[in-house]
Structures are given as C-alpha cells and as structure tokens.
C-alpha cells in the first residue's frame, strides 16, 4: 500500500529540513511531497538545495488549494493513502504507519491522528473551542470526534478522488463532518504532537476565535447546502 505525506509549506525555511529528514529517518516507507505555497522566504531554495520532492505554487493559494494540489499529485501517482503532515515539526512521523494500519484494519476512509484518544484535553481556550467543534459534529452526524482540529489526517484513495473533484473541500473539521454525513468511516488513533519547532503560527488568538466560529457555523448550516 503506497502512502504519501503531503507537506504544505508556507514560509517554513527554518523547519522544513528537520521535518523532512525526521520523516525520512523514522518512516522511510512513506513517500512525501512538499507543496511550496508561494513562500516569500527561502523555503523553495532550501528544498531545491536538499533535492527534496517539491511542488512549487508560484502564488500563495492557502491551505485548501495547496493541499488539493498535493492530493492531485497523490491521485495521479497511484497512492493508496495520503496524509496531511505539517511542515513546522508538530506532527510526528512514527504515528503515520499506525494510521495506515488503522485504515486497513478498520476499513476507514479517514484516520485522524488524535491527541485525545487515551489522553484528556487540557483546560484552555483552544481546547474549549475544540470541544465545541466536537459537540457540533456529534450533533449533526451522531459521531464523536475527540480531536477535530488535528491537522494530521490520513485519507484513502476514494477520499483522495473526492478532494480533487470538489473545489471547496479543505482539510478542515467541517469537511470531515460533511463526509461523515455522506457515509465516510472516520476513526481516530492516538498520536502525540509537539509545539511548532520554528516560525510563527498563522492562528493568533483573535484568528483562532474567528476560525472556531466559522467552523461551527459551517458544520451547523453551510454544509447542509452542499
């Protein structure tokens, strides 16, 4: 079973080498493609210098567009699974195979690398937002997702095809909720994560609040009109 790690990268020159080298060392059976999303720093040059497999987008199209470019690459190159893998060092490659095994054993369409299968959520504003999104997904689908904001998600080939066929499919919790309602089997496996190793997160406190509100509104209302 061929598995591709899709690594969206925007201004990740400080972390991309460590991320890719760790992936190659700890999960050599997993292929990868870096999607350079119009970075303004030296991300592309660093990738080229190290001979990494990279798709270069000339302008920044955002996470959804960049991830879909990676999914198209996965589809055209015959991959059975594709996993979103952050360029900033937060995701740990040793958990990818566990996600693949879960997909095969449980016939899952989507496998989420979850921080909260065996661990409890800590009390914080971010975790409160995560719990709210979990509640919205449970309300609209009947399915409990413990870590809906985890960006480490594995998709099977059927899901890969759907992502390249739907222009508004992004790697976000509202898309997962929509796919659950359309019959997708979604499971979670425990996966530990780290803080980003370099750079700054796109989501400031204010942007995090806005993200949570948009996501909940999309799950409750927008997704029903797709």
């Amino acid at each position: 079973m061929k598995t591709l790690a899709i690594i969206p990268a925007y201004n990740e020159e400080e972390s991309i080498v460590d991320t890719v080298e760790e992936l190659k060392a700890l999960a050599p059976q997993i292929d990868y493609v870096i999607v350079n999303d119009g970075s303004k720093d030296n991300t592309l040059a660093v990738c080229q210098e190290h001979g990494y497999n990279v798709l270069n987008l000339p302008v920044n199209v955002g996470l959804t567009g960049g991830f879909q470019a990676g999914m198209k690459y996965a589809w055209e190159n015959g991959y059975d699974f594709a996993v979103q893998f952050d360029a900033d060092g937060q995701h740990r490659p040793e958990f990818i195979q566990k996600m693949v095994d879960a997909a095969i054993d449980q016939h899952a369409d989507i496998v989420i690398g979850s921080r909260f299968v065996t661990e409890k959520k800590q009390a914080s504003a971010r975790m409160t937002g995560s719990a709210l999104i979990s509640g919205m997904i449970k309300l609209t689908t009947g399915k409990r997702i413990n870590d809906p904001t985890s960006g480490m998600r594995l998709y099977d080939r059927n899901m890969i095809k759907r992502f390249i066929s739907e222009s508004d499919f992004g790697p976000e919790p509202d898309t997962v909720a929509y796919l659950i309602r359309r019959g997708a089997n979604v499971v979670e496996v425990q996966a530990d994560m780290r803080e980003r190793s370099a750079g700054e997160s796109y989501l400031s406190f204010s942007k995090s609040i806005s993200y949570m509100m948009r996501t909940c509104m999309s799950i409750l209302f927008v997704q029903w009109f797709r």
Side-chain angles (χ1 to χ4, degrees), residues 7-136:
I7 310 176
Y10 177 68
N11 294 344
E12 297 288 0
E13 64 177 359
E14 297 181 12
S15 60
I16 192 64
V17 172
D18 287 344
T19 296
V20 174
E21 292 303 323
E22 183 182 46
L23 176 64
K24 291 165 62 178
L26 298 183
Q29 76 280 17
I30 307 298
D31 293 337
Y32 72 90
V33 62
I34 301 162
V35 182
N36 178 49
D37 188 15
S39 295
K40 297 179 180 179
D41 66 357
N42 292 318
T43 297
L44 178 60
V46 169
C47 291
Q48 292 174 333
E49 178 185 346
H50 286 79
Y52 293 156
N53 185 29
V54 59
L55 291 177
N56 183 47
L57 306 184
V59 296
N60 177 247
V61 297
L63 179 59
T64 294
F67 185 69
Q68 286 180 333
M71 291 292 250
K72 184 176 182 180
Y73 178 95
W75 176 260
E76 292 178 346
N77 287 276
Y79 283 95
D80 301 292
F81 299 105
V83 59
Q84 181 185 352
F85 196 79
D86 283 357
D88 58 18
Q90 293 190 73
H91 296 164
R92 295 174 56 175
E94 60 264 37
F95 293 101
I96 297 178
Q97 189 60 49
K98 293 181 180 180
M99 297 169 71
V100 172
D101 293 343
I104 296 171
D105 295 342
Q106 301 182 51
H107 304 287
D109 302 293
I110 302 172
V111 179
I112 299 174
S114 172
R115 294 161 288 184
F116 309 120
V117 175
T118 58
E119 303 292 331
K120 292 184 177 180
K121 293 182 181 180
Q122 298 177 349
S124 69
R126 175 178 289 185
M127 291 302 101
T128 298
S130 175
L132 180 60
I133 293 175
S134 291
M136 297 298 100

